Amino acid sequence: MGDYSAVRPGTDLSRYARELVRVHDAVLAGGRPPHRPRALVERSWSRVLGFGLDPSRANARDPVPAGEVERRRRGSGLAPVAGDLLRMAGDAAFLLVVTGADGTILWRAGPAPLRRRADRLGFGEGALWTEAAVGTNAIGTALVEAAPVQLFSAEHFEQAQHAWYCSAHPVHDPRTGELLGIVDVSGPALTLHPAIRVLVETGVRLAEARLWRHHADRLERLRRSAAHVTGTARGPLLIVDDHGWVAHASGVSARDRIGAPSAGAPVAVPGMGLCLAERLPEGWLVRPAGPRAAITATLDLTGSPPLLEVRGETEPWRTPLTRRHADILALLHDGGPAGLTAGRMSHLLYGDTAHVVTVRAEISRLRRAVGALVATNPYRLAAGVTLELRR
């Protein structure tokens, strides 16, 4: 993850804040600063200047109505853990906010005087805090950089935000790797403490662990609700949720996930071949569509979009893929049985190892589309799957 702290321990915060103001004003005026800003800040300022924002005024926040905030809260993947996160604020002298994946503030907690100061800044529930809306800020910059971000004083683009520090950390769905939102701690700039970064990191890790616990509990409820089916059905079968996560396996080696099922559409499951899914009250029953368990597939890279064809005993199943997903399958084919780590995939796809989270999210989306053809830890084609490439 690295150290994303905005200041080093022992820094004179007052002096450093004054120095950053000189850097901010010189860079945005096109002059020569006393020193260059941090690379992360420099990238963000460059993007924000391209948006045409004015650093001398508060740019549009355009908060959504309270009713819309409530609707988004209910639909947020962070709803089960938002209360736990907000309790981190307690009696502390900072604000803690939780946003949606688009950067809209959905929850906020902290002392009343600080909330009033934040209200004057437009840092309230319903406000959109992306770089395009309010300039360089930890929430918006963390969304762009897909990484934790801490900003101090005049590293913010807007002058009105110079009196603040902010420390933001993305939260991901532990099942899929998808971004759920941002957790941010903000407060008066001269109160920034090294422990803030650790606090935010710890809160995010605990939130993601609890989300995984919620996921496991849901699978257990599904397994119990389908007991009448698993106790009477013959042959290999799986009980899965709407996303393809396996709650129960019978007659086949247990797997963690297959493709997201839908009525009447075949799904490829190594060890079972092409299968069909039948709707249950709280999930799906997945059984082989024919006697052949072996799976052969062809990835046609010559057309646009690339096409994957999976063959079993029944009619072939075909699905288009994005170019990125086709590239991933081709890399797994070339990687052989030993497979590839997320770091190696990041290097092969993006030229560096800084995109591991992105790789995990892409492969999760690919597995949702093609099922258990792709195995994990390390990433590889599942045992019993033969893949041919047409380049």
Side-chain angles (χ1 to χ4, degrees), residues 77-78 171-178 180 205 207-215 218 245 257 364:
L78 291 174
V171 189
H172 295 90
D173 188 327
R175 302 169 305 165
T176 66
E178 296 285 350
L180 297 177
R205 286 198 297 268
E208 291 178 345
R210 183 161 184 189
L211 287 172
W212 185 258
R213 181 68 255 173
H214 276 272
H215 166 63
R218 285 193 294 268
W245 288 94
R257 191 182 185 188
S364 180

Side-chain angles (χ1 to χ4, degrees), residues 292-384:
R292 183 178 176 185
I295 294 177
T296 57
T298 301
L299 177 59
D300 188 348
L301 300 169
T302 63
S304 182
L307 186 67
L308 179 69
E309 180 180 278
V310 182
R311 296 179 297 281
E313 191 69 22
T314 58
E315 287 296 313
W317 165 64
R318 301 177 181 87
T319 185
L321 298 178
T322 66
R323 178 57 60 179
R324 175 64 73 204
H325 287 171
D327 290 343
I328 290 173
L329 273 182
L331 288 174
L332 296 180
H333 169 273
D334 296 341
L340 301 168
T341 65
R344 181 59 179 159
M345 291 288 290
S346 174
H347 180 78
L348 292 172
L349 291 170
Y350 300 99
D352 57 45
T353 58
H355 294 78
V356 168
V357 172
T358 304
V359 165
R360 289 172 179 156
E362 286 287 357
I363 291 182
S364 180
R365 285 189 284 267
L366 172 61
R367 294 184 79 204
R368 182 176 173 83
V370 305
L373 299 185
V374 175
T376 58
N377 298 320
Y379 297 121
R380 63 200 186 281
L381 294 177

Side-chain angles (χ1 to χ4, degrees), residues 72-363:
R72 295 190 188 191
R73 285 175 174 173
R74 291 193 300 268
S76 171
L78 291 174
V81 296
D84 296 327
L85 289 166
L86 295 174
R87 278 191 287 274
M88 290 167 50
D91 298 325
F94 58 71
L95 290 180
L96 188 143
V97 304
V98 181
T99 80
D102 66 344
T104 300
I105 297 175
L106 299 181
W107 292 275
R108 186 183 71 167
L114 206 52
R115 293 202 307 271
R116 289 192 291 269
R117 285 185 59 184
D119 288 340
R120 292 193 291 271
L121 190 64
F123 191 56
E125 292 166 353
L128 181 65
W129 272 70
T130 60
E131 285 189 341
V134 300
T136 302
N137 71 94
I139 293 171
T141 305
L143 287 172
V144 175
E145 298 281 339
V149 169
Q150 186 177 79
L151 297 175
F152 175 71
S153 186
E155 290 184 323
H156 293 88
F157 181 79
E158 290 183 349
Q159 293 171 359
Q161 298 179 43
H162 289 183
W164 294 77
Y165 74 80
C166 48
S167 190
H169 201 299
V171 189
H172 295 90
D173 188 327
R175 302 169 305 165
T176 66
E178 296 285 350
L179 176 70
L180 297 177
I182 301 287
V183 174
D184 173 85
V185 166
S186 297
L190 301 186
T191 66
L192 177 59
H193 190 278
I196 292 296
R197 177 179 65 85
V198 178
L199 172 72
V200 180
E201 286 180 356
T202 302
V204 167
R205 286 198 297 268
L206 290 174
E208 291 178 345
R210 183 161 184 189
L211 287 172
W212 185 258
R213 181 68 255 173
H214 276 272
H215 166 63
D217 289 344
R218 285 193 294 268
L219 290 183
E220 176 60 20
R221 288 195 299 270
L222 172 57
R223 186 190 67 79
R224 290 198 302 265
S225 72
H228 65 290
V229 175
T230 59
T232 58
R234 294 183 177 182
L237 62 87
L238 299 173
I239 302 296
V240 305
D241 70 5
D242 287 340
H243 301 282
W245 288 94
V246 177
H248 173 82
S250 177
V252 64
S253 297
R255 301 184 179 281
D256 61 345
R257 191 182 185 188
I258 66 170
S262 59
V267 59
V269 180
M272 295 174 67
L274 289 181
C275 299
L276 292 176
E278 305 168 41
R279 192 63 166 143
L280 299 175
E282 298 185 42
W284 297 83
L285 168 64
V286 178
R287 292 190 282 197
R292 183 178 176 185
I295 294 177
T296 57
T298 301
L299 177 59
D300 188 348
L301 300 169
T302 63
S304 182
L307 186 67
L308 179 69
E309 180 180 278
V310 182
R311 296 179 297 281
E313 191 69 22
T314 58
E315 287 296 313
W317 165 64
R318 301 177 181 87
T319 185
L321 298 178
T322 66
R323 178 57 60 179
R324 175 64 73 204
H325 287 171
D327 290 343
I328 290 173
L329 273 182
L331 288 174
L332 296 180
H333 169 273
D334 296 341
L340 301 168
T341 65
R344 181 59 179 159
M345 291 288 290
S346 174
H347 180 78
L348 292 172
L349 291 170
Y350 300 99
D352 57 45
T353 58
H355 294 78
V356 168
V357 172
T358 304
V359 165
R360 289 172 179 156
E362 286 287 357
I363 291 182

